[in-house]
Amino acid sequence: MLETAFFIVLAVLTVITAILVIVQRNPVVSAIYLIITLFCLAGIYLLLQAPFIAVIQVLVYAGAIMVLFLFVIMLLNLEKEKKLITRHRLPKVLGILLGIVLLAQLGVLFRSILLEGAQGQFPPEKVAALGNTEVIARLLFTDFLLPFEITSVLLLVAIIGAIVLAKRQI
Amino acid sequence: MVPLSSYLILSAILFSIGVVGFLLRRNLIVLFMSIELMLNAANLAFVAFSRFLHSMDGQIFVFFVMSVAAAEAAVGLAIIMAVFRTKETVNADEVNLMRW
């Protein structure tokens, strides 16, 4: 009962702030609303018994990525958009139409999903007994070791790429 | 307990909001935020499936998606900086050198 109430509150907040992100003229305000959205999603991850994901959602998304966004907005010293969206009428109508069609399709798809596949080896009680972070760490350093190492290469490439792109002269 | 379909519907709504924002807005930075919204919608679906299928793979995937999102944000914002330096604008309509 309490879980349902928490879910409804968080879901409504998430959707409202997500809509506010895309209708704000000022990108700084958009960024602030996006941070609230990300915090609400972290709460939903807690409801789904994924505390590790919830914490790195706050640390990486709401912390690192959004601070990066805000810094870039401040560096660019943007003024408010005079017109919120594109000049032409047709792309606007088509965009909203496409969004509604996509939502309808996803809704129909997700309503018909039945969980009939084989269940995994980690029921919630076992994860709670072992500790969520420990289970993830164990998997990350055994079964998913290669993707984990590739991630480090990806981050190195991103560091170098960001410096090369953002620097005036190398 | 909240059923799986509620989480998935929430994920679908978030993803659609991201798509609409990406299609309607012309500010490159807001376009980026819309992409982050879509990535988060996918993450939510991953975690929900992970919870209801009793498997940890979804949460590991979310970990990787987040690191890719961090890399993408760093490089993308650097590109926006470079665009702003040459064009003095972040309006996607005015960056049309390679438009057909």
Side-chain angles (χ1 to χ4, degrees):
Chain A
M1 198 60 233
L2 194 65
E3 193 189 348
T4 314
F6 267 113
F7 176 77
I8 291 170
V9 169
L10 286 171
V12 168
L13 254 178
T14 310
V15 172
I16 290 174
T17 49
I19 291 172
L20 284 171
V21 168
I22 63 166
V23 298
Q24 287 295 325
R25 270 162 210 273
N26 191 338
V28 179
V29 183
S30 280
I32 303 288
Y33 278 121
L34 188 54
I35 292 174
I36 302 175
T37 311
L38 298 174
F39 265 102
C40 293
L41 275 172
I44 289 174
Y45 292 157
L46 282 181
L47 283 184
L48 283 165
Q49 300 182 0
F52 178 71
I53 299 296
V55 169
I56 60 169
Q57 167 90 359
V58 172
L59 279 181
V60 175
Y61 259 116
I65 296 182
M66 291 320 293
V67 167
L68 195 62
F69 268 96
L70 285 172
F71 261 104
V72 169
I73 294 170
M74 284 168 194
L75 278 178
L76 297 185
N77 194 17
L78 298 176
E79 54 204 87
K80 276 188 196 171
E81 278 177 83
K82 282 161 207 90
K83 297 192 76 168
L84 187 58
I85 51 179
T86 176
R87 281 184 295 277
H88 313 291
R89 194 89 178 259
L90 188 64
K92 187 165 94 178
V93 177
L94 279 179
I96 294 176
L97 208 67
L98 189 73
I100 291 169
V101 170
L102 182 71
L103 183 59
Q105 282 183 340
L106 287 174
V108 170
L109 183 70
F110 284 165
R111 277 177 67 87
S112 64
I113 280 178
L114 297 168
L115 284 180
E116 287 174 336
Q119 299 270 306
Q121 315 164 356
F122 292 101
E125 304 82 46
K126 191 179 168 191
V127 175
L130 285 172
N132 179 271
T133 313
E134 193 181 328
V135 171
I136 289 182
R138 211 170 275 283
L139 281 174
L140 210 53
F141 287 107
T142 52
D143 292 0
F144 294 91
L145 185 62
L146 184 65
F148 183 72
E149 297 294 340
I150 294 172
T151 306
S152 64
V153 178
L154 172 79
L155 289 176
L156 179 67
V157 172
I159 294 168
I160 298 170
I163 293 173
V164 168
L165 284 169
K167 215 166 151 52
R168 230 172 267 271
Q169 282 160 344
I170 302 158
Chain B
M1 201 166 81
V2 185
L4 173 66
S5 54
S6 331
Y7 289 106
L8 292 181
I9 297 290
L10 175 63
S11 161
I13 294 172
L14 269 185
F15 193 89
S16 305
I17 293 172
V19 169
V20 171
F22 189 85
L23 291 173
L24 292 190
R25 296 301 300 269
R26 298 275 57 107
N27 187 329
L28 282 175
I29 292 177
V30 181
L31 292 191
F32 243 78
M33 291 184 201
S34 304
I35 294 176
E36 300 293 334
L37 271 180
M38 289 190 262
L39 281 169
N40 270 287
N43 281 354
L44 178 59
F46 267 131
V47 177
F49 275 123
S50 150
R51 164 83 173 75
F52 285 88
L53 282 172
H54 296 181
S55 160
M56 288 309 264
D57 294 4
Q59 296 189 22
I60 307 266
F61 256 83
V62 171
F63 179 83
F64 289 126
V65 170
M66 278 187 186
S67 47
V68 170
E72 169 246 333
V75 174
L77 289 170
I79 292 175
I80 292 178
M81 297 272 289
V83 167
F84 185 77
R85 202 172 286 142
T86 49
K87 294 282 234 184
E88 292 287 315
T89 178
V90 288
N91 189 327
D93 276 344
E94 291 172 39
V95 186
N96 53 7
L97 189 68
M98 290 176 75
R99 182 179 282 177
W100 178 53

